């Protein structure tokens, strides 16, 4: 099942994508793609619907029908740093002995095709395609063997990053990670039964048609179940929380010389089975 949210910013309605690529409206069934809707019981209820009886939404998704972030009411936007060994190498940093956790502000979340806005004064805004994990059933001190029972689904995240703010300014990484529009999320939330082997998904990103990132989740240092269990040691995880699991090599920071977004570019990124995002980059 592919769950989504459609409509103008701030007025999105819940929906799902049917087998013909049409959006079916869920607003008569659930209030939104959030909270209890994401629990195992909530997902099973949606799977039991007769999709053919749901209203068809006019328009083609990601063309003349805008999609918003695929989940709303996100309490925590948790990111994992340096989780691909080859990305750590290109960043000039060692593979961490434990997962690196940092936060991305939830105000950064936008739709999968919304513009990415370079902050005022930024000269080092960068791209990062990542596999996002959305928590369905909450918990703390989750056993790794049980971790996948806490997952509502997977989605694409563009962990847009301002490298000067992240790495060269005093303090933590967070100030370079959570600027407005720095978290395109979607286009849809795909339930685990439709994803297949999440440990071996192709993952890529292009800028103006040039492919800079072209990797696989198979090269993650710390896998999804471990990340869920690990994060739950330090905070309770709740329905709608997102864990963005790190990026493969090919970011602008790692190029020689480094290359950053200036405004006017188009980013296009995707993960096998999870769809594609596309964002125009502009300056304030």
């Amino acid at each position: 099942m592919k769950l989504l949210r459609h409509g103008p910013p701030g007025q999105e309605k819940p929906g799902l994508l049917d087998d013909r690529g049409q959006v079916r409206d869920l607003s008569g069934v659930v209030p939104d793609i959030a909270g209890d809707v994401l629990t195992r019981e909530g997902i099973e209820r949606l799977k039991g619907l007769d999709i053919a009886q749901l209203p068809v939404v006019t328009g083609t998704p990601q063309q003349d029908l805008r999609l918003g972030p695929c989940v709303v009411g996100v309490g925590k936007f948790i990111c994992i740093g340096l989780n691909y060994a080859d990305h750590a190498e290109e960043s000039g940093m060692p593979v961490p002995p434990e997962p690196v956790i940092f936060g991305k502000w939830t105000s950064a979340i936008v739709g999968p095709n919304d513009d990415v806005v370079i902050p005022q004064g930024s000269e080092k805004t960068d791209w990062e395609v990542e596999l996002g994990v959305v928590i369905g059933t909450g918990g703390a001190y989750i056993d790794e063997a049980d971790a996948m029972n806490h997952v509502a689904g997977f989605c694409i995240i563009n962990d847009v990053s301002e490298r000067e703010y992240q790495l060269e300014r005093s303090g933590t990484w967070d100030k370079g990670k959570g600027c407005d529009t720095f978290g395109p999320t979607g286009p849809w939330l795909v339930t685990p039964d439709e994803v297949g082997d999440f440990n071996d998904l192709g993952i890529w990103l292009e800028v103006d048609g040039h492919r800079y990132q072209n990797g696989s989740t198979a090269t993650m240092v710390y896998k999804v179940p471990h990340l869920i269990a690990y994060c739950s040691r330090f905070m309770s995880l709740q329905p709608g929380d997102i864990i963005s699991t790190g990026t493969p090599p090919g970011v602008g920071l790692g190029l020689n010389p480094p290359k950053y977004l200036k405004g006017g570019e188009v980013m296009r990124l995707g993960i096998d089975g999870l769809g594609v995002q596309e964002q125009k980059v502009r300056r304030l």
Side-chain angles (χ1 to χ4, degrees), residues 107-162:
S107 53
I109 297 173
V110 292
N113 297 84
D114 292 345
D115 289 354
V116 166
V117 181
I118 296 176
Q120 292 184 7
S122 166
E123 297 297 334
K124 296 183 179 180
T125 294
D126 202 350
W127 56 82
E128 294 191 14
V129 59
E130 305 200 359
L131 175 67
V133 181
V134 177
I135 298 298
T137 300
Y141 301 101
I142 295 169
D143 288 335
E144 187 169 335
D146 188 48
M148 293 309 298
N149 289 324
H150 292 260
V151 174
F154 296 88
C155 64
I156 303 169
I157 303 289
N158 190 350
D159 177 21
V160 185
S161 307
E162 212 298 341

Side-chain angles (χ1 to χ4, degrees), residues 52-171:
Q53 298 303 311
L54 296 172
V56 175
V57 179
T58 301
T60 301
Q62 299 183 277
Q63 294 184 25
D64 56 347
L65 176 62
R66 176 188 176 270
L67 298 185
C70 59
V71 63
V72 72
V74 178
K76 294 186 286 296
F77 197 164
I78 305 159
C79 294
I80 308 299
L82 304 174
N83 196 30
Y84 289 71
D86 33 13
H87 171 57
E89 181 180 358
E90 73 171 353
S91 301
M93 301 179 189
V95 174
E98 296 184 32
V100 172
I101 298 176
F102 60 91
K104 202 170 180 80
W105 317 129
T106 57
S107 53
I109 297 173
V110 292
N113 297 84
D114 292 345
D115 289 354
V116 166
V117 181
I118 296 176
Q120 292 184 7
S122 166
E123 297 297 334
K124 296 183 179 180
T125 294
D126 202 350
W127 56 82
E128 294 191 14
V129 59
E130 305 200 359
L131 175 67
V133 181
V134 177
I135 298 298
T137 300
Y141 301 101
I142 295 169
D143 288 335
E144 187 169 335
D146 188 48
M148 293 309 298
N149 289 324
H150 292 260
V151 174
F154 296 88
C155 64
I156 303 169
I157 303 289
N158 190 350
D159 177 21
V160 185
S161 307
E162 212 298 341
R163 300 304 188 186
E164 179 189 353
Y165 302 172
Q166 176 193 358
L167 301 171
E168 301 174 31
R169 306 277 285 267
S170 177

